[in-house]
Amino acid sequence: MTVADPDPVDDVVATIARSAAEIRQGLVGRRGKADEENPSGETQAEADVWADELLANRLSSIDGVGEYASEERSEIIDTGDERVYVAVDPLDGSSNLKSNNTMGTVFGIYDEPLPAPGSALVASGWVLYGPITTMAYARDGSVTKYELTSGERTVVEEDVTLPDDPLVYGFGGRVPHWHDDFREYVREIESNPDHKLRYGGAMIGDVNQVLTYGGIFAYPALKDDLRGKLRLQFEGNPIAYLIEAAGGRSSDGSQSILEVEPTDLHDRVPLHVGNTELIDRLEDAL
Ligand code: FDP
């Protein structure tokens, strides 16, 4: 890269920010199911397919983007370029479309071809389609929060860190499917009078609560599937990168999510993120 080259990371983030209003608007009339499954075997929503197409077209045509990969497509789009590699969950929590609850767009920008470990991330973030549209973005160890309006990004907070005193917790998966030691840990968290349950069914909404109030979110290993539900490239790594940049910790149960070596583009990973003390205690408990 020469000094004059535009930074593809900036271009990717600006493009996602600019596309957010359109994605939000495009949800109207696309709340039904598509007749297809994603590579993880989940029935796709019409909006999943549509948002994936929109982001695939825009992000893969940015100069310097070598690959576009998404939770919604089995194959990587390879552009032949080789500076950054983008992994996207176009609509995280799309089951919330039916009930009109929060959802988001999650992205990770890697400097290695996909699938890549989280240590190859150079930036990550998410857009949250809540009462207003916001973005949380991590790069170079620092997190910034933005409000997004009509394609514009307005900084609302720089150098974001998790509050010291954890307040909220949310755990995915059915309780009977949790392992006993995880269930025990959850009991301990719940019994602390300083903690409150916050679970909305979209990982990104729940993780954003942890970023805002401090606490823990997990979608753990399950008795019938030790890999849990969430995808390493598209969800686990980007979330872990941002939460760690905000001073928190991530874990697959024994190590940082960012240290997990991928074997396949659509690998799943047990995900636990939040305040350092809570993740340390979790690793001791498991
Ligand atoms: P969804 O299937 O609606 O896209 O990424 C998958 C995800 O949502 C997460 O956002 C969410 O935390 C989780 O699945 C919810 O799974 P359960 O239905 O098992 O609770």
Side-chain angles (χ1 to χ4, degrees):
M1 181 163 62
T2 66
V3 177
D5 280 342
D7 179 357
V9 175
D10 287 345
D11 286 352
V12 167
V13 179
T15 302
I16 292 171
R18 272 202 306 276
S19 304
E22 214 176 313
I23 292 179
R24 186 180 184 112
Q25 189 57 38
L27 302 176
V28 177
R30 292 193 177 91
R31 294 167 69 198
K33 297 282 177 202
D35 266 346
E36 287 174 47
E37 288 189 346
N38 71 15
S40 303
E42 299 159 353
T43 305
Q44 293 172 306
E46 287 172 63
D48 284 322
V49 178
W50 175 79
D52 176 47
E53 274 303 314
L54 182 140
L55 290 172
N57 290 336
R58 290 184 186 177
L59 299 179
S60 65
S61 56
I62 292 172
D63 206 20
V65 170
E67 292 177 347
Y68 170 89
S70 142
E71 188 174 304
E72 303 303 337
R73 58 178 67 220
S74 30
E75 301 302 326
I76 292 172
I77 298 178
D78 185 345
T79 69
D81 217 326
E82 49 185 29
R83 276 156 61 194
V84 296
Y85 306 85
V86 182
V88 173
D89 181 358
L91 276 185
D92 174 69
S94 53
S95 314
N96 276 359
L97 270 169
K98 190 171 176 184
S99 56
N100 189 27
N101 286 96
T102 292
M103 295 181 325
T105 297
V106 187
F107 59 94
I109 307 172
Y110 297 80
D111 64 6
E112 284 178 23
L114 303 170
S119 53
L121 277 166
V122 292
S124 79
W126 60 76
V127 173
L128 190 68
Y129 307 104
I132 59 170
T133 308
T134 55
M135 176 184 263
Y137 175 53
R139 189 174 187 185
D140 298 331
S142 142
V143 176
T144 308
K145 281 186 188 169
Y146 301 90
E147 287 176 357
L148 305 182
T149 39
S150 322
E152 295 300 316
R153 253 189 298 170
T154 310
V155 174
V156 285
E157 194 182 342
E158 287 181 298
D159 300 321
V160 178
T161 53
L162 261 65
D164 289 336
D165 297 324
L167 180 66
V168 300
Y169 62 88
F171 303 115
R174 295 196 59 233
V175 180
H177 293 172
W178 290 349
H179 289 277
D180 293 346
D181 41 13
F182 182 76
R183 204 183 306 185
E184 214 31 64
Y185 173 79
V186 170
R187 249 188 228 131
E188 209 192 290
I189 296 289
E190 285 172 336
S191 61
N192 183 328
D194 295 332
H195 295 163
K196 299 200 257 193
L197 170 65
R198 287 289 182 273
Y199 187 75
M203 173 201 62
I204 208 57
D206 296 326
V207 170
N208 201 66
Q209 295 243 23
V210 169
L211 181 65
T212 309
Y213 298 115
I216 180 169
F217 171 80
Y219 204 112
L222 304 173
K223 282 182 183 160
D224 54 355
D225 197 336
L226 293 178
R227 303 164 308 160
K229 178 175 184 191
L230 303 177
R231 268 70 33 148
L232 179 63
Q233 298 295 295
F234 311 107
E235 296 165 312
N237 279 338
I239 299 303
Y241 181 87
L242 193 146
I243 291 292
E244 291 195 12
R249 276 204 63 205
S250 74
S251 178
D252 69 348
S254 60
Q255 61 181 343
S256 164
I257 301 271
L258 303 179
E259 285 164 19
V260 176
E261 278 299 324
T263 55
D264 181 82
L265 183 66
H266 294 277
D267 273 355
R268 296 169 188 258
V269 70
L271 174 87
H272 318 81
V273 287
N275 284 67
T276 298
E277 54 161 301
L278 297 185
I279 302 296
D280 287 349
R281 269 166 53 197
L282 171 105
E283 285 183 347
D284 288 345
L286 297 187

